[in-house]
Amino acid sequence: MQNAAYLLDMPAKRTSCVVFSSPHSGRNYPNGLMKRSVLSQDVIRSSEDAFVDQLFSSAADHGAPLISAMMPRAYVDLNRSAEELDPALIQGARRQGHNPRVASGLGVIPRVVANGREIYRGKLTMDEARLRIDTCWRPYHARIKSLLAESHQEFGQAILIDCHSMPHEAVALASTVNSRRPEIVLGDRFGASAAPEVVEQIEAAFVSAGLSVARNTPFAGAYVTQTYGRPSRHQHAVQIEIDRSLYMDESRIEPNDNFAAFKETLGEIIMDIARIGPEPLQLAAE
């Protein structure tokens, strides 16, 4: 299923309570965006989680849906609240207390890409910002909510895996002299968005594949995990950040020679994650 907001890859039959989401891998850059931008397409793509949707494309083979953004993060950020409007970019937006994400230019309609590079020549109208939110942000989140509701109905539990990638240089912050630099960072908002046993099983899947894993540093999760992680209601949300150097040339924004091998490894991990959770309720009753 595809529309302007997202691509949804559904399994022939849902056998997993897990839902995979890739909110930052969208790469349909509208002509209107590029005409307004002072950046080249290569530079504006620096904020994109390039190829993450491709890396997780086997989810449906293991009974779990994968929803992926169509529009890029530079156009609208699906991992922000729809109310995180930046007054420095959007005409008529009001400052609502101190929000460090908005202040740094990373609101729901971003003002900057990686390394603080400004996207636009001037400001956007409130109407344009609302149009992006209404046509992209709201449909995406409405579909996530319905997918999680379906998991609850069929399995009694829902697990949302929020799939991202991180610059190689970012993980240096999470390493010490005596520790291996993490290749995967799991974010559960320091235990607030997922039960410990769920996070432990996800971590074990990566570790068994030979990957080094850290938790919550430097990325603990943002709007998606904060909004959908409700462990007390049997709904868990975990953010996964993957070191981009494992599968892509960051400077050229192209898959590297290890892409196919890493995708195969990740396929085994996805299979393990999709198995987390109870059996379908109808099977448990038999």
Side-chain angles (χ1 to χ4, degrees):
M1 181 183 301
Q2 179 176 332
N3 59 31
Y6 59 80
L7 174 66
L8 178 60
D9 190 9
M10 288 292 292
K13 180 181 180 181
R14 286 196 66 177
T15 58
S16 173
C17 69
V18 178
V19 174
F20 291 88
S21 167
S22 180
H24 286 166
S25 57
R27 49 190 170 272
N28 287 358
Y29 287 83
N31 289 333
L33 170 65
M34 299 311 301
K35 288 178 180 177
R36 295 286 302 275
S37 177
V38 298
L39 304 176
S40 68
Q41 187 153 336
D42 286 343
V43 174
I44 204 170
R45 289 190 69 192
S46 63
S47 65
E48 179 187 315
D49 286 348
F51 315 117
V52 166
D53 54 340
Q54 295 178 35
L55 291 175
F56 283 87
S57 63
S58 66
D61 296 335
H62 304 295
L66 167 65
I67 181 171
S68 306
M70 295 296 291
M71 291 299 193
R73 181 186 187 182
Y75 184 76
V76 59
D77 193 335
L78 303 175
N79 199 22
R80 296 289 183 265
S81 164
E83 304 307 314
E84 290 186 272
L85 299 171
D86 185 354
L89 174 65
I90 300 166
Q91 296 173 9
R94 296 182 178 181
R95 191 173 304 279
Q96 301 177 0
H98 178 66
N99 183 315
R101 292 189 295 267
V102 173
S104 63
L106 296 173
V108 64
I109 309 295
R111 174 166 41 90
V112 303
V113 295
N115 299 316
R117 288 169 288 192
E118 297 274 347
I119 298 174
Y120 301 98
R121 293 184 176 86
K123 285 193 171 187
L124 304 181
T125 66
M126 180 64 76
D127 285 345
E128 183 170 352
R130 289 298 183 192
L131 180 64
R132 296 185 190 186
I133 292 168
D134 290 343
T135 58
C136 298
W137 191 98
R138 296 194 190 284
Y140 193 92
H141 285 278
R143 200 67 182 94
I144 286 182
K145 290 175 183 177
S146 67
L147 290 168
L148 294 175
E150 290 165 11
S151 289
H152 269 291
Q153 182 176 0
E154 188 166 356
F155 304 99
Q157 174 174 274
I159 300 172
L160 178 62
I161 304 298
D162 191 33
C163 308
H164 296 265
S165 66
M166 56 187 175
H168 180 67
E169 62 183 18
V171 292
L173 300 173
S175 61
T176 65
V177 174
N178 298 318
S179 70
R180 180 181 170 189
R181 176 176 291 183
E183 297 161 310
I184 307 294
V185 176
L186 302 181
D188 65 354
R189 298 188 64 83
F190 299 94
S193 69
E197 59 269 21
V198 171
V199 185
E200 287 164 7
Q201 290 178 82
I202 295 171
E203 180 173 354
F206 283 100
V207 171
S208 66
L211 294 163
S212 58
V213 181
R215 293 195 196 181
N216 294 308
T217 302
F219 304 105
Y223 176 80
V224 168
T225 48
Q226 182 179 12
T227 300
Y228 298 110
R230 296 290 183 268
S232 63
R233 302 177 190 174
H234 306 289
Q235 181 167 297
H236 313 274
V238 179
Q239 178 178 279
I240 294 175
E241 294 275 3
I242 301 173
D243 181 351
R244 291 174 185 165
S245 69
L246 292 173
Y247 66 90
M248 67 176 281
D249 181 327
E250 292 185 72
S251 62
R252 297 168 62 89
I253 316 181
E254 294 178 353
N256 63 21
D257 292 341
N258 193 51
F259 185 88
F262 182 73
K263 183 178 178 181
E264 183 175 353
T265 297
L266 193 57
E268 297 294 317
I269 295 168
I270 291 167
M271 180 177 65
D272 289 343
I273 292 174
R275 290 173 174 171
I276 299 173
E279 293 294 319
L281 296 182
Q282 63 270 26
L283 296 182
E286 292 177 356

